[in-house]
């Protein structure tokens, strides 16, 4: 049987995603039932870029399933420093582990790893391109909080140019009916043309604005993002835009009572800590949903029957 990877959110059909989220719900409600589902299995996490959540969330997911983990948290301690290619590393990791998770600063690196690995590969972020497991986390969180993945208005705010979580989430949400997008960004960090072209082609409604206050009262979800310092070409531009958005309780008071605030994290200054105690602040709950959905993903990619 052909192995399955997760390189972009579109690698799973809407029906497959529904099954994945159903499994994540089953795991959330009865984690003990799955505590030995991956006994004897090994996961390698190969991170060429810094991470807190994505790496540890995958490792937690595998440990919760009874499996084991290994890997490197930094390219500087891997043989990449000696010039080893991603393709060769993927071949080598296939000799050690049952499943591989890779984060890399170059767009397309995870796809290369998947091409050469003989084990399932999970893209944990490739440059400014895609971050599909964050998207699974976001979709699973929205589905749990709102009870549906259709018929809502979502505001995406911040660095829409470099933010790979935003690009992945838009790609995934366009497959659901009646989702209206509001892109909130400074002009320099607008969502890329290839995304608005895709929305135009599909006839999906969206609008663009600069100020949170101009859109927040109409939103069902507000997805905040940080300005991606590491993808700027010069410090001056970053400093100018770094504090462009700060969501505080005063601004959130303009939102609907059931407008949830999500953020892939890490946050810098874009959400004030006074928002954390608001019941609509869902970004730490989102982290927990990320563990359940990654547990479901590991089981699915390994083809483990938990029916
Ligand atoms: N959301 C996310 O990708 O966080 P990390 O960079 O900490 O993995």
């Amino acid at each position: 049987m052909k192995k399955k990877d997760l390189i972009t959110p579109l690698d799973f059909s809407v029906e497959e995603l529904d099954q994945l989220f159903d499994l994540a719900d089953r795991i959330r409600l009865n984690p003990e039932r799955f505590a030995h589902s991956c006994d004897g299995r090994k996961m390698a996490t190969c991170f060429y870029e810094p991470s807190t959540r994505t790496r540890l969330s995958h490792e937690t997911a595998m440990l919760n399933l009874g499996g084991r983990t290994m890997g490197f948290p930094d390219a500087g301690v891997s043989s990449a420093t000696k010039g080893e290619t991603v393709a060769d590393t993927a071949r080598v990791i296939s000799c050690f582990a049952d499943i591989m998770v890779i984060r890399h600063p170059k767009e397309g690196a995870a796809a290369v790893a998947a091409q050469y690995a003989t084990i399932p590969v999970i893209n944990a972020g490739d440059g400014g391109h895609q971050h599909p497991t964050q998207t699974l986390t976001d979709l699973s969180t929205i589905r749990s909080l709102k009870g549906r993945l259709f018929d809502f208005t979502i505001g995406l705010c911040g660095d829409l140019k470099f933010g790979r979580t935003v690009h992945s989430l838009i790609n995934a949400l366009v497959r659901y009916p009646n989702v209206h997008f509001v892109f909130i960004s400074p002009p320099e960090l607008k969502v890329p043309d290839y995304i608005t072209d895709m929305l135009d082609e599909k006839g999906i409604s969206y609008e663009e604005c600069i100020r949170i206050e101009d859109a927040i009262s109409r939103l069902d979800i507000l997805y905040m993002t940080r300005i991606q310092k590491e993808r700027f070409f010069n410090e001056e531009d970053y400093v100018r835009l770094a504090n462009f958005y700060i969501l505080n309780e005063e601004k959130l008071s303009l939102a609907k009572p059931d407008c949830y605030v999500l953020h892939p994290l890490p946050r810098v200054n874009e959400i004030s800590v006074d928002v954390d105690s608001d019941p609509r602040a869902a970004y730490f709950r989102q982290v927990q949903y990320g563990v359940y959905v990654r547990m479901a993903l590991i089981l699915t990619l390994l083809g483990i029957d938990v029916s």
Side-chain angles (χ1 to χ4, degrees):
M1 199 172 69
K2 191 177 176 304
K3 76 179 173 99
K4 192 162 174 66
D5 308 292
L6 180 71
I7 306 304
T8 89
L10 304 183
D11 289 340
F12 278 59
S13 68
V14 169
E15 292 72 28
E16 287 171 325
L17 286 181
D18 277 344
Q19 286 167 13
L20 193 78
F21 299 144
D22 287 345
L23 178 55
D25 284 345
R26 282 174 57 208
I27 293 168
R28 177 166 55 86
L29 295 171
N30 189 6
E32 281 305 310
R33 154 84 179 77
F34 302 88
H36 296 285
S37 300
C38 280
D39 280 357
R41 308 292 185 114
K42 294 186 287 271
M43 163 182 278
T45 51
C46 306
F47 276 59
Y48 297 78
E49 256 195 351
S51 167
T52 296
R53 264 150 303 280
T54 311
R55 186 171 65 85
L56 296 180
S57 175
H58 277 98
E59 293 190 359
T60 303
M62 190 50 149
L63 294 171
N64 288 350
L65 292 166
R68 284 175 290 167
T69 68
M70 63 178 112
F72 51 87
D74 172 5
V77 296
S78 80
S79 285
T81 55
K82 303 172 201 161
E84 185 164 60
T85 62
V86 167
D88 281 0
T89 302
R91 285 184 173 117
V92 169
I93 297 293
S94 301
C95 302
F96 303 148
D98 301 293
I99 188 164
M100 172 179 180
V101 185
I102 179 171
R103 169 172 286 189
H104 199 285
K106 282 207 180 125
E107 297 172 11
V112 171
Q115 190 184 338
Y116 288 92
T118 55
I119 57 176
V121 171
I122 297 174
N123 179 7
D126 59 331
H129 188 219
Q130 299 281 337
H131 192 345
T133 66
Q134 182 63 50
T135 302
L136 299 185
T137 300
D138 300 340
L139 295 178
S140 169
T141 305
I142 294 170
R143 195 176 96 139
S144 298
L145 295 174
K146 305 296 283 185
R148 64 186 190 278
L149 281 170
F150 52 87
D151 276 341
F152 57 78
T153 296
I154 181 167
L156 298 135
C157 176
D159 184 346
L160 308 188
K161 178 178 179 184
F162 296 116
R164 60 191 172 198
T165 63
V166 167
H167 305 161
S168 275
L169 184 56
I170 297 167
N171 268 320
L173 281 175
V174 295
R175 298 193 291 178
Y176 295 90
N178 202 21
V179 176
H180 176 66
F181 295 94
V182 183
F183 300 130
I184 309 164
S185 74
E188 298 90 330
L189 297 176
K190 278 173 59 156
V191 74
D193 287 346
Y194 79 86
I195 289 185
T196 48
D197 289 348
M198 178 267 291
L199 295 175
D200 288 336
E201 267 169 38
K202 291 180 184 294
I204 291 169
S205 66
Y206 66 89
E207 57 191 286
E208 298 183 274
C209 68
I210 296 176
R211 287 162 26 100
I212 295 179
E213 299 89 315
D214 292 341
I216 195 166
S217 65
R218 290 177 284 118
L219 305 179
D220 300 301
I221 303 279
L222 173 57
Y223 190 91
M224 296 294 296
T225 62
R226 79 186 161 93
I227 307 295
Q228 304 262 313
K229 182 178 185 184
E230 65 276 28
R231 312 218 188 273
F232 274 74
F233 294 111
N234 67 69
E235 178 82 10
E236 198 182 305
D237 283 350
Y238 171 71
V239 169
R240 189 166 48 78
L241 295 167
N243 291 318
F244 200 92
Y245 294 112
I246 300 179
L247 178 69
N248 54 23
E249 267 295 283
E250 190 186 341
K251 287 179 193 147
L252 192 56
S253 70
L254 304 171
K256 295 179 189 174
D258 60 349
C259 170
Y260 289 102
V261 180
L262 304 186
H263 191 311
L265 303 178
R267 98 174 121 182
V268 187
N269 291 323
E270 60 280 354
I271 302 181
S272 164
V273 291
D274 66 357
V275 171
D276 294 356
S277 54
D278 190 296
R280 294 168 291 184
Y283 27 92
F284 293 115
R285 276 175 276 170
Q286 194 178 350
V287 176
Q288 187 62 58
Y289 282 117
V291 175
Y292 300 128
V293 84
R294 287 181 175 109
M295 289 170 74
L297 177 65
I298 292 165
L299 292 170
T300 303
L301 293 182
L302 289 177
I304 294 172
D305 183 6
V306 284
S307 53

